[in-house]
Amino acid sequence: QVRLVESGGGLVQPGGSLRLSCTASGSIFSFNVMGWYRQAPGKQRELVASISRIGDTNYADSVAGRFTISRDNAKNTMYLQMNSLKPEDTAVYYCNVPRYYVDWGQGTQVTVSS
């Protein structure tokens, strides 16, 4: 069974940048769409960005223009480049397969604070 592992989170000041990685234990090629989610304390998990196998993307309004999602099928890895970070971006970030959902990983903590 495919396992997803998130990494790259950390503490960053407002306006800073981070790049998150999501690495699968197996091939992600069969997943037509993959996505990044985030969950802040006391809030529901939300879909931040998604990307198809061929590179079609969509973004939540809250991150559009600041975040860029990408994937490298050969490396079984998906990325989220996060620029111009804001305190409201603080959350645990997860990757998964929209609508299909493999087991959720541990996520990676992103904290944006001065």
Side-chain angles (χ1 to χ4, degrees):
Q1 188 169 349
V2 173
R3 182 166 62 92
L4 303 175
V5 179
E6 302 90 347
S7 63
L11 175 64
V12 65
Q13 294 184 342
S17 298
L18 287 172
R19 189 177 77 154
L20 308 183
S21 297
C22 169
T23 300
S25 60
S27 176
I28 64 169
F29 185 78
S30 63
F31 299 135
N32 183 48
V33 178
M34 296 187 69
W36 282 98
Y37 301 76
R38 68 185 182 188
Q39 187 168 28
K43 300 180 67 176
Q44 295 183 17
R45 180 154 37 212
E46 64 174 335
L47 180 63
V48 173
S50 63
I51 184 168
S52 75
R53 183 166 52 238
I54 62 172
D56 296 323
T57 61
N58 61 57
Y59 299 90
D61 289 343
S62 58
V63 307
R66 300 186 297 117
F67 291 7
T68 302
I69 188 172
S70 61
R71 65 191 280 178
D72 187 333
N73 296 321
K75 295 182 178 180
N76 297 321
T77 302
M78 182 175 64
Y79 306 95
L80 186 67
Q81 179 66 48
M82 310 165 69
N83 298 325
S84 302
L85 284 162
K86 304 176 180 179
E88 50 263 44
D89 296 318
T90 296
V92 179
Y93 284 71
Y94 303 87
C95 56
N96 216 310
V97 185
R99 302 176 184 176
Y100 180 77
Y101 301 111
V102 302
D103 290 345
W104 294 94
Q106 186 174 340
T108 185
Q109 175 72 50
V110 172
T111 302
V112 185
S113 177
S114 60

